[in-house]
Amino acid sequence: MRQDARVNGIRGFWRALPTEGRWLLSTVAIQTLGRGLTLPFTIIYLHEVRGFDLALSGTLMGLIAVVGLIVTGPGGSLIDRYGARTILIIGLASMIAGCTLLAFATNPGVAAVGLVLIGVNFGVSWPGFNALIASVVSGDLRQQYFGINFALVNLGIGIGGVIGGFYVNVEAPETFTVIFLVDAASCLIPVALLLGPLRHVRTQSVAPAGETGEASGYLQIIRRPAVIWVSLLTFVAMFVGYGQMEGGFPAFARQVAEVPTSTIGFAFAANTLVIVLFQFSVLKWISGKRRTRVMWIMALVWAASWLLLGATGLVPDTIAASIGVIAFMSVFAFGETLLQPTVPAVYNDLASDHNRGRYNAVNAAAFQGGAIAGPIAAGLLLDHGLHAVFIGVMVVCCLGIGVMALALERRITPSVNGVVETQPAVD
């Protein structure tokens, strides 16, 4: 049954959720707090605490994304065959083992194994949880759920990052051991949900008799024009978005805008604050509107944010530059509130129950591919002093997202595009 009730306020949204949806959403911020404790400090731990050289530490960090990308495809197929619950429990067990190993890793080999195990979880968690969400909620409520979930993930990671920043000390290695063990322990919360209140939720189903073509494997899925366009859009959005958050943005802010590291920290805090404060208001505004038009607006917002960051290079090492860097992340965050509810909703409205895992795996692969390519391109451009070219590439890619959104609009139905079709009046 399609859940299209328009809800007013957070209470209305909460009342409209089925019980399983409430269980899933109620613990998101707590689950991700553990990840926030370790995410900003892992490379510092490897380099400054365990003594691995910086190049090796960066290579080890890259294992998470590479392994996640490799695992995503098989993970999506396994989700459709055995159900999201089973695969998520395996992924979370891998995460627990990986974080525990990393907590005590005193040599690169042990650290590599731990990071590979963490990458396995990353590869299955995105398609798994998205498939689980889509099996519990549908219609306009699903779009709202993806948005609220994104805000809570950011809240958990943001709070975890702040706590970790005050707690960890490179002169006290045991503080890093503690945060990795807490990250491992936080994974027990979703495991308990999957084995308890959500144990009856099924995501896998048998394909309708005689159904072939676009309903079957990955080859048929990625041949669909709508999937091609939304996947290209996702890849480019991640290339100019999250692919730059750990590479291009900090490097530009330090090398070109010449702001202190504390300013970069405040910028990330501002990013989280904007998402948490504005996500629900944005969801109410975009409800019932064409998702592709929302993506088009997001593309313009992101283009403006990159121009704003580029302008900080004209006034380096000034208060204006610091304000501009923080403003960049704030404007960028507003664009995120437009992107995150819409793209996953399009993928899941294109999918059917028997191939939902594979559709979400395609989404995850496009996301991870862009996130991997982004830092590489940023490094090449910024290392050669092509600062203006770097900003120009980001802006052009943002405008390209808008073009791809319009192309996608012509290839999906109004229902998939988030427009609730009203029933004709009966005399």
Side-chain angles (χ1 to χ4, degrees), residues 96-389:
I96 292 170
C99 287
T100 303
L101 276 176
L102 206 55
F104 301 100
T106 56
N107 65 76
V110 175
V113 174
L115 291 164
V116 165
L117 290 171
I118 291 172
V120 169
N121 178 62
F122 277 30
V124 300
S125 62
W126 183 315
F129 275 111
N130 277 3
L132 202 65
I133 290 167
S135 68
V136 171
V137 294
S138 62
D140 193 57
L141 193 64
R142 179 185 291 165
Q143 175 173 287
Q144 295 178 57
Y145 190 105
F146 280 126
I148 296 296
N149 184 75
F150 173 66
L152 291 175
V153 166
N154 274 271
L155 179 63
I157 290 177
I159 293 174
V162 171
I163 295 172
F166 281 108
Y167 176 70
V168 295
N169 181 357
V170 294
E171 302 299 328
E174 64 275 11
T175 60
F176 286 86
T177 299
V178 168
I179 63 171
F180 282 108
L181 292 178
V182 171
D183 194 3
S186 68
C187 294
L188 296 174
I189 297 171
V191 169
L193 288 178
L194 294 168
L195 292 176
L198 303 179
R199 66 186 180 277
H200 300 303
V201 177
R202 281 179 57 88
T203 57
Q204 72 273 37
S205 67
V206 179
E211 187 171 298
T212 58
E214 62 185 29
S216 300
Y218 282 113
L219 186 59
Q220 288 73 27
I221 290 172
I222 62 176
R223 280 177 174 172
R224 296 186 66 180
V227 174
I228 292 172
W229 282 106
V230 72
S231 297
L232 284 173
L233 186 152
T234 302
F235 176 87
V236 176
M238 295 312 104
F239 177 85
V240 302
Y242 302 111
Q244 304 304 329
M245 291 304 100
E246 294 180 12
F249 160 64
F252 189 96
R254 289 288 294 148
Q255 297 175 13
V256 185
E258 299 180 13
V259 301
T261 53
S262 60
T263 296
I264 298 175
F266 284 125
F268 276 100
N271 178 273
T272 299
L273 186 63
V274 168
I275 291 169
V276 172
L277 290 179
F278 290 98
Q279 183 67 84
F280 199 84
S281 297
V282 168
L283 286 169
K284 289 194 291 184
W285 173 66
I286 68 176
S287 178
K289 294 182 171 61
R290 294 183 185 273
R291 291 165 180 162
T292 49
R293 306 292 173 87
V294 175
M295 295 174 197
W296 187 79
I297 294 171
M298 180 276 296
L300 292 179
V301 170
W302 273 9
S305 72
W306 281 109
L307 288 172
L308 187 59
L309 182 65
T312 64
L314 302 176
V315 286
D317 195 21
T318 63
I319 294 177
S322 293
I323 293 173
V325 165
I326 295 172
F328 159 76
M329 282 294 270
S330 301
V331 176
F332 182 87
F334 180 72
E336 291 180 80
T337 66
L338 298 169
L339 176 72
Q340 289 298 334
T342 51
V343 169
V346 169
Y347 275 102
N348 280 282
D349 282 354
L350 285 170
S352 302
D353 286 340
H354 64 277
N355 57 19
R356 196 172 301 284
R358 279 163 286 183
Y359 270 85
N360 280 293
V362 171
N363 179 20
F367 184 105
Q368 292 163 346
I372 292 171
I376 295 172
L380 290 172
L381 292 171
L382 294 176
D383 282 349
H384 288 83
L386 301 174
H387 307 142
V389 174

